[in-house]
Amino acid sequence: MKAIINAHILGDNEISNGTIVFEEGKIMKIGTSEEVEIPDKAEIIDANGRYVTPGFIDAHTHLGIDEEGVRWEGQDYNETTSAVTPHLRAMDGIYPYDQGFHDAVAAGVTTAQVLPGSANVIGGLTVCIKIRLGKSVDEMVIRQPSGLKIALGENPKGAHGNHGRAPKTRMAVAAILREQFSKAKNYMEKKQKGENVFDFELEALQLALEKKIPVRAHAHRADDIMTVIRIAKEFDLDLSVEHTTEGHQIAHLLAESGAKFTVGPTISSRSKVELRDKGWQTYKALEQANVPFAMTTDHPVIPIQYLQTSVSIAVKEGLSEQTALKSVTEHAAAVLGIEDRTGTLEVGKDADIVIWDAHPLKQNSYSWKTFVDGNIVYEQENR
């Protein structure tokens, strides 16, 4: 059992002199120092007035599946031999000893979703992990699978159309999605009739059609976003739009869509046509339209340790502090479907906690101690 005392706890109910007691990975008590009685057996951690938040969550990464410091040997995120690979699992490509995991916890990131890349129209199954260092991937999983990755726009067109394979156009991308989901619906009907059929690829699509997992759609441009919203309505899919770069152009339509959204990375350059209108205005526009969203680095596009930097810049560019923090905590957890476990500091939730040396929205602040499931995974004592 541990107890963090003298903490400035950030959240909907900010506590200036707070205490958090946690045991066996779960938060047992939280409140002001006057409210919370600390058991005698608790190990005391004195925050000495430092700021405390839930562990940050990066809702869209290729952490460990697109390894840093290596070439093709560690690039296991795009199986470009086919445009349709729904049966692939990101979990099977993650190298848990990649440097990115160490960088993440040092920057207060305790949870991440790892996705296949966006070269394919249908890329495979995503996974949410806790960043527990020195573990196998199996010991890191918090939700498996956490979604079905699909992609619209330039990436699948370039990876396949430029090599003489479908899709070559946006029309073909949409047609392939409709074709595959239609096949999966027919497959489900055959199974319901008692026919002895099994298709590994269609089993993955069935998870999405049954809404057991969301479809996580790589889409930058406004037209691609609207296309996937249209397809999601046709097949009654639970939709999460990834990147949402031109979301500010259609914020009012996003608010009506019922979809979830992840925005970013925004620090990166406008490296392709789809990113011509990329900017910090997207965050403010979605906030004004009352559209909750998560923020992402798309690691390693932007190294995951700069998630905090992204949040800080978004505030500098007009996003409210409350929405900014929620985009990497509460809202991010909701986008990933793990809000029952993490994303807020509440009794019964996982003890994923960061003690910051200063307010986390200050660009020069850093994690003093990072906890995952109540265990210290990073501490900086002498900085």
Side-chain angles (χ1 to χ4, degrees):
M1 178 179 291
K2 297 182 179 71
I4 298 172
I5 64 171
N6 298 324
H8 192 130
I9 302 172
L10 296 177
D12 285 338
N13 299 311
E14 192 168 333
I15 303 172
S16 59
N17 185 18
T19 297
I20 306 174
V21 178
F22 47 99
E23 184 177 25
E24 296 182 352
K26 297 292 183 180
I27 296 174
M28 310 302 293
K29 301 177 183 179
I30 183 169
T32 66
S33 58
E34 292 81 11
E35 296 170 335
V36 177
E37 183 178 349
I38 301 174
D40 293 337
K41 63 178 181 178
E43 174 189 342
I44 303 299
I45 300 166
D46 191 348
N48 196 25
R50 293 180 176 90
Y51 288 84
V52 172
T53 68
F56 280 10
I57 301 168
D58 195 327
H60 181 115
T61 78
H62 308 288
L63 189 62
I65 198 172
D66 183 8
E67 296 173 47
E68 294 188 86
V70 294
R71 302 170 300 169
W72 62 269
E73 301 93 337
Q75 295 175 354
D76 287 316
Y77 59 107
N78 276 320
E79 179 59 50
T80 55
T81 54
S82 171
V84 177
T85 56
H87 55 307
L88 303 186
R89 301 176 183 177
M91 179 178 176
D92 294 326
I94 297 173
Y95 179 61
Y97 300 96
D98 184 45
Q99 179 61 37
F101 290 102
H102 297 272
D103 294 339
V105 293
V109 181
T110 58
T111 303
Q113 181 176 218
V114 180
L115 304 90
S118 51
N120 296 343
V121 178
I122 303 177
L125 298 170
T126 70
V127 61
C128 291
I129 57 173
K130 290 285 193 74
I131 304 179
R132 304 182 180 105
L133 300 179
K135 303 289 185 181
S136 71
V137 173
D138 305 76
E139 296 172 289
M140 301 167 76
V141 169
I142 182 172
R143 186 183 181 193
Q144 161 59 31
S146 57
L148 175 70
K149 175 68 179 294
I150 68 174
L152 292 87
E154 290 178 29
N155 287 17
K157 285 175 56 182
H160 299 281
N162 288 346
H163 297 278
R165 307 186 298 269
K168 188 175 179 64
T169 65
R170 281 181 163 79
M171 294 183 295
V173 171
I176 289 170
L177 288 170
R178 289 188 173 96
E179 177 186 31
Q180 294 301 315
F181 282 119
S182 294
K183 283 183 180 179
K185 286 184 70 174
N186 292 335
Y187 173 72
M188 291 167 62
E189 290 171 2
K190 289 179 180 179
K191 290 173 66 176
Q192 290 168 358
K193 292 176 182 177
E195 295 185 30
N196 186 20
V197 294
F198 181 82
D199 187 297
F200 198 30
E201 295 185 12
L202 296 179
E203 286 287 319
L205 293 171
Q206 180 176 335
L207 293 174
L209 287 170
E210 292 177 337
K211 290 189 172 182
K212 292 180 178 178
I213 58 173
V215 169
R216 302 199 181 275
H218 165 108
H220 286 283
R221 278 186 8 182
D223 55 345
D224 289 327
I225 296 169
M226 293 310 301
T227 294
V228 77
I229 287 174
R230 191 159 54 246
I231 292 172
K233 288 180 179 178
E234 291 173 20
F235 290 93
D236 191 26
L237 302 171
D238 182 8
L239 175 64
S240 175
V241 178
E242 311 293 309
H243 304 304
T244 324
T245 303
E246 293 185 356
H248 54 279
Q249 297 181 3
I250 50 172
H252 62 296
L253 297 175
L254 304 189
E256 299 168 359
S257 70
K260 295 182 174 67
F261 300 93
T262 296
V263 183
T266 310
I267 298 177
S268 59
S269 66
R270 297 176 179 88
S271 57
K272 55 184 179 178
V273 172
E274 289 176 352
L275 303 182
R276 285 180 300 182
D277 197 24
K278 179 177 69 66
W280 299 98
Q281 70 272 20
T282 307
Y283 301 94
K284 184 64 175 177
L286 296 190
E287 181 181 42
Q288 290 175 337
N290 295 315
V291 178
F293 60 87
M295 195 178 301
T296 180
T297 61
D298 197 13
H299 175 93
V301 176
I302 298 299
I304 196 166
Q305 62 265 35
Y306 299 120
L307 182 61
Q308 179 201 7
T309 304
S310 299
V311 176
S312 299
I313 296 175
V315 171
K316 178 183 176 182
E317 296 292 334
L319 186 64
S320 72
E321 290 189 1
Q322 184 180 42
T323 298
L325 281 175
K326 285 187 175 183
S327 74
V328 291
T329 55
E330 182 179 347
H331 290 166
V335 165
L336 300 183
I338 55 174
E339 64 271 30
D340 60 326
R341 293 281 303 273
T342 190
T344 56
L345 298 176
E346 298 180 64
V347 171
K349 288 198 175 183
D350 296 352
D352 299 337
I353 303 167
V354 183
I355 306 176
W356 305 87
D357 78 307
H359 196 291
L361 294 182
K362 291 185 176 180
Q363 292 188 40
N364 62 345
S365 65
Y366 59 88
S367 169
W368 183 58
K369 293 184 189 293
T370 302
F371 300 81
V372 173
D373 294 330
N375 297 311
I376 294 178
V377 292
Y378 175 80
E379 55 186 332
Q380 175 62 267
E381 295 284 3
N382 301 315
R383 185 166 176 174

